[in-house]
Each structure stands twice: as structure tokens, then as C-alpha cells.
């Protein structure tokens, strides 16, 4: 078998493959057997017709096509191993010669992985932004725990419902005097002020008493999923069956003993909460810093990415979204209908994320190759054990599945990619910055305003103006960001 690789169009290589005639003899025999089982030849039972009869009946071209279905994919994979070409998409196969008694020749037009010109990926300067835990944070946590332990008790006889109370109601929705589907329920629990019902509904129940009946007029939102009700005024006939008030525990010694096994008093409980929140803050800061280091390494690399890789990643992101929606009982088509969106817009919204993901993976792969990380059997075993826990399968079953599917090399590749990401993070020069939540919020708002302004500029300026903006010095962009942040502060 011969392989020859040449340059193709941009992002592509062309691999020509030649299989000697003698190597095609066995595949042709096997193809004849398969075809004999598929076709009905008068005078012969299936699979019993001699080869010469079969050739006359279906033609040699059909036999060769059948043989190629087995031979070409295998020859293509052998060619990749022999030549070292790394594809990033399915190849285009073009048959060059498919004549009996002659070498089989075909060419594969292959979109290849792009070359990565690595920039700096060691000792990258990154800032670890640590959100300071304040007394207000501790108070908020205590309130959350009080809410978690809250109990609902019957309101006093004659009490009027207030925000925060839970009312149990019967209701019937009427549109133009006719009850509409899905608008009727009995003993429905509703927390007033939760904004879980149609806008305007809960507010009109404030002040009602148990046993009271009331007609509530509301208008469905314009974007309501049921089109026949969207933007329509309706009347709900409501009866309040009961009112329950939320009672939260006092911040006393009993509360301390309820929520902590170690704290002996409120002061110790607050210290315990502060320690937990600080650990959470540091964990989040470390995760964000790791991401920031990877972003820096990716931005310093140069790659010309084939568009097909972006499209494939987009397909993957959309498919992941489809599966998440299905777990919630919603199809992607329903989601697009509810949000008044379309697939083209959805893909564009995900495009920048797809581009970064592809570039990040290529950079990590290039770092892994440059560093030539070794992978020990112990590391492989650790990864298999982790997969065993994740998929609730015995370790040996996971190992057998990997070996059966020839996926052990993929696992080793995954470990090397993890090592590359770890190297970038562990080698980064990290500077800590302590910030409070309010400052973080202001910076996020400033960044959002800046991105909005840039988006508006991109939409409104003509091509010439856009080129000028793109050529603006980096210092100017930094000043814009800084000015926005200062303005927010």
C-alpha cells in the first residue's frame, strides 16, 4: 500500500492512496459473499450463486464498490498513521481508479489540525481576585439558614394575607367568560411576593382573608408560551381556603445547636460561618484564576483555525444544550419558540464560546506535546477509578470498555491535556487582590456597559470606521475600561 501527501487548499492536505491489485483479491472475495446474500439470482438460492454468475448479474463495478466500503476506511486510517497527518473533520473521498485487476486508487481531501505557534505559557502574570467575607455576608448566611428552618403555621382567625404568607387557593381562569385549559386548580399553595404567578395576581390577594372569594383581573405577558393567552386579559375567580404565616427561628442558643455540631454559642457559630465562606471564596478565586491563566496562554498563541472546527464545536454545544433541555422536559424547538429565537441566532450566540474552546484545546495539546509529559500507570489507574465513581461502574468494567473500544490512548491524551492546564496554572505568577462584593458588582456592570457600547459601535459604524477602531492602540482600550470602572465606582 502506497501513500502520498501533498498540499491542498487552505487548511487542507491531499492524501493519495494506492492499494495493489493483489491486496484487493481477498476484499473482492468477501464482497462477493456479502452481495450473494443480498441479491436474488434466478435459479440459485441466496449465497449459492458462483462468482462468475454473480459478476454477470450485478456487474464488477458493484462488487468493487462493495469491497471499497470495507477497504477504503481502513486504508485511510492506515494512511493517517503512516503519514502523521492529523485530521480535524471527516475527509472527502474521491475514487481515482476502481478497475478490476488494477491497483485501487483514491484520494482523501483532509482538513487538518492547524499548527499552533505557542507564546508564553509559563510565569504568566494573573490576578487572583478574592472576595472578602464581611459581617453582612455572615448575616445573610444566618438568614438563609433561618429561612431553611422556617415553619408554616396557621394564621390567626380573621388575619389578612400579607407578603411572605402562603395562601392555599382554588381558582378558575376565564377568558371572555369561558374557562381556558390549564387555568383551574384546587388547594393550590402560593407564597405571596414570590412572583411565581402571573404578574399582578399575587398583589391582589394581599389583604384577603380565609374563606374570602375574589375576582382577579390580570393580563398574560406578551411572551407567554401559550400563544392563545399571550397578551390577553383574563379573570381568575379565586377562593382563599387558608392562610399560613412563615415563622423563622430566633437567633438563640437553640438555633446554634440546631445548625452546628461544634459551635457552643453565637460568636463561635459566626466564626464557623466566616471560615466556611472564606474557604468557598478562596476556592472560587482559585478556579477563576486557573481560568484566567488559561485565557492568557490561549491569547498569546497564534492559530489559524479551520472554520469546520468551529462549526463542529458549535454542533457539540447545541447538542449539549438540547440534552439539558430534554432533562427538563423541553425540546430545543420548544425553547426557541418560547424565546422567539431561531437556530441561526442561537449558533451565533454560542460562536465566540466555541471559538475559544477550540483554541484552548489546541493550545493545551500543543503545550502537552512541547513538554512531552509522561503518563504513569498509576495516573491511568487514578483516572479509571474516577470514571468508575462518576459512572457507578466497577473499575474493571471501565477498563474493559476502554480497551474494547480502543479508547485507552484517548484517556492518556486527556491526562496530558490536564497536565498542560495544570502547568500553566501552577507556573503562573499570581497577585492577590482583595475585593468586596459591591466593588465586584460595579466592575461587572462597568464591563457590561463597555461591551454594550462596543456592540453598538460595531453595528452602527461602516466598514472603514470599523477598520480604524480595530487599529486603535491597545493603551486606548485599557483607558476605556479603566474609565468605565472609575465611573461605576
Amino acid at each position: 500500500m502506497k501513500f502520498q501527501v501533498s498540499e491542498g487548499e487552505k487548511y487542507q492536505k491531499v492524501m493519495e492512496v494506492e492499494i495493489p491489485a493483489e491486496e484487493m483479491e481477498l476484499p473482492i472475495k468477501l464482497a462477493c459473499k456479502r452481495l450473494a446474500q443480498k441479491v436474488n439470482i434466478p435459479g440459485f438460492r441466496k449465497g449459492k450463486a458462483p462468482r462468475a454468475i454473480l459478476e454477470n448479474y450485478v456487474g464488477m463495478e458493484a462488487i468493487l464498490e462493495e469491497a471499497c466500503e470495507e477497504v477504503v476506511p481502513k486504508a485511510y486510517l492506515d494512511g493517517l498513521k503512516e503519514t502523521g497527518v492529523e485530521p480535524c473533520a471527516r475527509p472527502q473521498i474521491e475514487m481515482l481508479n476502481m478497475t478490476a485487476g488494477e491497483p485501487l486508487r483514491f484520494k482523501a481531501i483532509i482538513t487538518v489540525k492547524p499548527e499552533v505557534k505557542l507564546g508564553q505559557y509559563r510565569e504568566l502574570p494573573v490576578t487572583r481576585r478574592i472576595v472578602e467575607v464581611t459581617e453582612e455576608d455572615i448575616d445573610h448566611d444566618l438568614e438563609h439558614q433561618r429561612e431553611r428552618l422556617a415553619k408554616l403555621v396557621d394564621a390567626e382567625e380573621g388575619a389578612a394575607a400579607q407578603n411572605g404568607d402562603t395562601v392555599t387557593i382554588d381558582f378558575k381562569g376565564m377568558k371572555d367568560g369561558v374557562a381556558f385549559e390549564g387555568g383551574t386548580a384546587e388547594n393550590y399553595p402560593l407564597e405571596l411576593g414570590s412572583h411565581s404567578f402571573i404578574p399582578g395576581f399575587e398583589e391582589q390577594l394581599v389583604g384577603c382573608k380565609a374563606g374570602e372569594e375574589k375576582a382577579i383581573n390580570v393580563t398574560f405577558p406578551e411572551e407567554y408560551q401559550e400563544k392563545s393567552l399571550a397578551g390577553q386579559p383574563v379573570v381568575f375567580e379565586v377562593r382563599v381556603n387558608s392562610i399560613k404565616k412563615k415563622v423563622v427561628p430566633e437567633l438563640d442558643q437553640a438555633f446554634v445547636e440546631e445548625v452546628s455540631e461544634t459551635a457552643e454559642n453565637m460568636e463561635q457559630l459566626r466564626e464557623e460561618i466566616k471560615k466556611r465562606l472564606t474557604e468557598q471564596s478562596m476556592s472560587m478565586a482559585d478556579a477563576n484564576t486557573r481560568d484566567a491563566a488559561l485565557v492568557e496562554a490561549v491569547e498569546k498563541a497564534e492559530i489559524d483555525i479551520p472554520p469546520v472546527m468551529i462549526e463542529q464545536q458549535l454542533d457539540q454545544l447545541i447538542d449539549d444544550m438540547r440534552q439539558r433541555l430534554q432533562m427538563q422536559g423541553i425540546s430545543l424547538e420548544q425553547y426557541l419558540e418560547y424565546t422567539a429565537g431561531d437556530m441561526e441566532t442561537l449558533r451565533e450566540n454560542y460562536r465566540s464560546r466555541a471559538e475559544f474552546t477550540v483554541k484552548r484545546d489546541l493550545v493545551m495539546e500543543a503545550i502537552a506535546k512541547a513538554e512531552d509529559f509522561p503518563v504513569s500507570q498509576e495516573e491511568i489507574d487514578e483516572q479509571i477509578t474516577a470514571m468508575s465513581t462518576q459512572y457507578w461502574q466497577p473499575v474493571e468494567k471501565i477498563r474493559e470498555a476502554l480497551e474494547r473500544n480502543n479508547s485507552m490512548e484517548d484517556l492518556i491524551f486527556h491526562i496530558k491535556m490536564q497536565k498542560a492546564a495544570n502547568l500553566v496554572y501552577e507556573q503562573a505568577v499570581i497577585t492577590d487582590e482583595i475585593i468586596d462584593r459591591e466593588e465586584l458588582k460595579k466592575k461587572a456592570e462597568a464591563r457590561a456597559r463597555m461591551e454594550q457600547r462596543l456592540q453598538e459601535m460595531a453595528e452602527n459604524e461602516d466598514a472603514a470606521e470599523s477598520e480604524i477602531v480595530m487599529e486603535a492602540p491597545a493603551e486606548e482600550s485599557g483607558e476605556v475600561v479603566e474609565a468605565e470602572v472609575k465611573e461605576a465606582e
Side-chain angles (χ1 to χ4, degrees), residues 343-390:
M343 185 60 71
E344 183 179 352
T345 302
L346 182 65
R347 290 180 74 87
E348 284 307 307
N349 290 340
Y350 273 95
R351 186 168 295 279
S352 60
R353 178 177 170 186
E355 289 175 356
F356 176 78
T357 300
V358 171
K359 190 172 183 182
R360 180 201 62 198
D361 290 350
L362 289 170
V363 170
M364 292 304 109
E365 183 179 352
I367 292 174
K369 287 182 179 179
E371 296 291 333
D372 193 21
F373 294 119
V375 176
S376 66
Q377 186 60 49
E378 182 181 359
E379 289 171 321
I380 295 173
D381 292 342
E382 286 177 359
Q383 194 70 35
I384 292 175
T385 300
M387 294 172 67
S388 170
T389 302
Q390 180 182 355

Side-chain angles (χ1 to χ4, degrees), residues 204-217:
Q204 296 180 57
L205 285 175
V206 172
C208 290
K209 299 178 181 180
E212 185 174 339
E213 296 183 356
K214 186 173 185 178
I216 292 180
N217 293 275

Side-chain angles (χ1 to χ4, degrees), residues 278-288:
T278 300
E279 289 173 351
Q280 290 175 358
S281 177
M282 288 298 299
S283 177
M284 184 177 297
D286 286 339
N288 290 338

Side-chain angles (χ1 to χ4, degrees), residues 72-142:
V72 170
K74 183 179 182 305
Y76 169 70
L77 293 176
D78 289 343
L80 296 181
K81 292 178 183 178
E82 179 74 19
T83 61
V85 173
E86 294 186 81
C88 64
R90 289 180 178 274
Q92 300 175 41
I93 301 295
E94 182 180 329
M95 302 307 300
L96 301 176
N97 185 53
M98 196 171 62
T99 305
E102 297 182 8
L104 178 74
R105 294 176 55 242
F106 69 90
K107 70 177 180 181
I109 302 172
I110 307 168
T111 303
V112 296
K113 280 187 178 179
E115 291 186 12
V116 178
K117 185 179 179 182
L118 287 172
Q120 178 185 354
Y121 61 87
R122 292 176 180 269
E123 300 182 349
L124 290 167
V126 292
T127 301
R128 178 168 56 184
R129 293 179 172 83
I130 304 168
V131 178
E132 183 179 21
V133 176
T134 65
E135 292 300 312
E136 288 77 13
D137 294 328
I138 298 172
D139 291 341
H140 180 76
D141 188 274
L142 284 169

Side-chain angles (χ1 to χ4, degrees), residues 11-186:
Y11 309 120
Q12 294 180 339
K13 289 186 182 296
V14 178
M15 179 173 69
E16 293 194 20
V17 181
E18 181 179 304
I19 305 173
E22 57 269 21
E23 291 185 25
M24 287 297 299
E25 290 178 2
L26 180 58
I28 289 173
K29 286 182 181 178
L30 295 175
C32 287
K33 287 185 177 181
R34 291 195 300 272
L35 280 175
Q37 295 292 337
K38 296 177 183 178
V39 298
N40 290 313
I41 300 178
F44 296 93
R45 288 181 295 164
K46 276 190 176 181
K48 298 300 181 180
R51 175 173 170 177
I53 300 294
L54 180 69
E55 287 183 18
N56 288 332
Y57 192 79
V58 302
M60 193 61 197
E61 183 177 351
I63 295 173
L64 286 169
E65 286 178 355
E66 178 72 21
C68 285
E69 288 187 11
E70 295 289 330
V71 171
V72 170
K74 183 179 182 305
Y76 169 70
L77 293 176
D78 289 343
L80 296 181
K81 292 178 183 178
E82 179 74 19
T83 61
V85 173
E86 294 186 81
C88 64
R90 289 180 178 274
Q92 300 175 41
I93 301 295
E94 182 180 329
M95 302 307 300
L96 301 176
N97 185 53
M98 196 171 62
T99 305
E102 297 182 8
L104 178 74
R105 294 176 55 242
F106 69 90
K107 70 177 180 181
I109 302 172
I110 307 168
T111 303
V112 296
K113 280 187 178 179
E115 291 186 12
V116 178
K117 185 179 179 182
L118 287 172
Q120 178 185 354
Y121 61 87
R122 292 176 180 269
E123 300 182 349
L124 290 167
V126 292
T127 301
R128 178 168 56 184
R129 293 179 172 83
I130 304 168
V131 178
E132 183 179 21
V133 176
T134 65
E135 292 300 312
E136 288 77 13
D137 294 328
I138 298 172
D139 291 341
H140 180 76
D141 188 274
L142 284 169
E143 285 304 310
H144 176 74
Q145 296 196 58
R146 289 180 74 198
E147 289 288 330
R148 181 174 57 84
L149 297 174
K151 297 178 180 178
L152 292 176
V153 298
D154 291 329
E156 295 180 2
E157 186 175 351
Q162 302 296 324
N163 276 331
D165 293 348
T166 295
V167 295
T168 303
I169 58 176
D170 298 338
F171 62 83
K172 179 189 291 186
M174 312 285 287
K175 179 177 178 291
D176 299 329
V178 179
F180 56 84
E181 186 177 355
T184 302
E186 294 182 354

